[in-house]
């Protein structure tokens, strides 16, 4: 990023340039009240799976086969975003002889229209992962969520194979480049 044009969002929920909402597994719609806060980041404030977890993490629940979602809505179009994730591990679980990694999906929207999406898989043994998003078109809303664990070949863990935990993460920071700043 060109540092002078990049904006680092204040994730405390008071930033007027970015609104943050979340949808927990049992929610019917996203809301600011569903955003979880933890000293190491933010996420959806629900608990998934049967194992203890950090309640604020945005996680995939292997029991219900659903994920919590975290949304960032910008006041204007954005061309790039960089998110620093925490608690997002490579090799989090070994099943048989396969190492399983945490995985998620991002989706970028312009208004109600989805303009791009992508998968992200942890390569971080310490759980600190940098997610870089450059969509095909400017976007004003970003959605991120977790999916089932994935092996080295990219195959997701089947439903019911591991029910005590799955992919989950916190967002420690968000920086973005507004479309008007990239045109300079």
């Amino acid at each position: 990023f060109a540092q002078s044009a990049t904006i680092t969002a204040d994730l405390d929920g008071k930033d007027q340039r970015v609104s943050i909402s979340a949808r927990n597994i049992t929610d019917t719609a996203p809301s600011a009240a569903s955003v979880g806060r933890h000293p190491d980041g933010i996420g959806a404030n629900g608990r998934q799976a049967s194992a203890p977890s950090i309640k604020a993490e945005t996680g995939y629940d292997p029991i219900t086969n659903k994920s919590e979602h975290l949304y960032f809505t910008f006041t204007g179009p954005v061309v790039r975003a960089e998110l620093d994730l925490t608690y997002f591990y490579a090799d989090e679980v070994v099943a048989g002889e396969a190492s399983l990694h945490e995985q998620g999906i991002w989706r970028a929207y312009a208004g109600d229209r989805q303009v791009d999406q992508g998968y992200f898989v942890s390569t971080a043994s310490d759980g600190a992962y940098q997610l870089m998003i450059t969509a095909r078109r400017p976007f004003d809303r970003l959605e991120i969520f977790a999916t089932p664990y994935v092996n080295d070949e990219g195959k997701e863990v089947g439903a019911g194979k591991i029910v005590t935990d799955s992919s989950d993460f916190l967002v420690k920071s968000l920086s973005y480049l507004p479309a008007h700043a990239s045109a300079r």
Side-chain angles (χ1 to χ4, degrees):
F1 285 169
Q3 292 302 323
S4 61
T6 302
I7 297 172
T8 299
D10 180 357
L11 299 182
D12 69 2
K14 297 174 186 157
D15 192 329
Q16 297 298 309
R17 298 167 298 193
V18 179
S19 63
I20 305 167
S21 59
R23 184 171 48 87
N24 295 308
I25 291 169
T26 56
D27 292 344
T28 57
S31 72
S34 291
V35 175
R37 305 208 179 273
H38 182 274
D40 293 323
I42 64 167
N45 197 31
R47 197 173 291 284
Q48 3 37 66
S50 61
S53 63
I54 295 171
K55 188 177 178 188
E57 285 182 299
T58 301
Y60 170 80
D61 185 350
I63 297 169
T64 62
N65 196 31
K66 294 180 180 177
S67 182
E68 299 171 310
H69 294 245
L70 188 60
Y71 303 89
F72 299 96
T73 304
F74 304 94
T75 56
V78 169
V79 293
R80 290 188 305 222
E82 179 180 314
L83 295 92
D84 289 327
L85 306 182
T86 57
Y87 299 104
F88 190 61
Y89 294 96
D91 303 319
E92 184 171 68
V93 173
V94 175
E97 294 186 23
S99 288
L100 302 176
H101 318 293
E102 293 187 297
Q103 175 181 239
I105 295 176
W106 63 266
R107 292 182 182 148
Y109 296 85
D112 291 332
R113 184 171 180 227
Q114 183 178 324
V115 296
D116 209 349
Q117 78 169 19
Y119 285 85
F120 53 99
V121 178
S122 182
T123 55
S125 59
D126 64 356
Y129 180 83
Q130 190 173 66
L131 173 59
M132 299 289 292
I133 297 171
T134 303
R136 289 180 280 217
R137 295 188 186 152
F139 57 95
D140 56 21
R141 184 168 47 104
L142 182 62
E143 170 188 18
I144 59 173
F145 57 97
T147 66
Y149 286 134
V150 63
N151 67 18
D152 289 331
E153 289 77 42
K155 184 176 180 189
E156 289 183 352
V157 172
K161 299 259 185 197
I162 298 175
V163 295
T164 57
D165 198 9
S166 197
S167 302
D168 46 30
F169 54 83
L170 292 169
V171 175
K172 185 175 184 174
S173 69
L174 165 68
S175 298
Y176 60 94
L177 181 61
H180 64 82
S182 70
R184 292 181 190 165

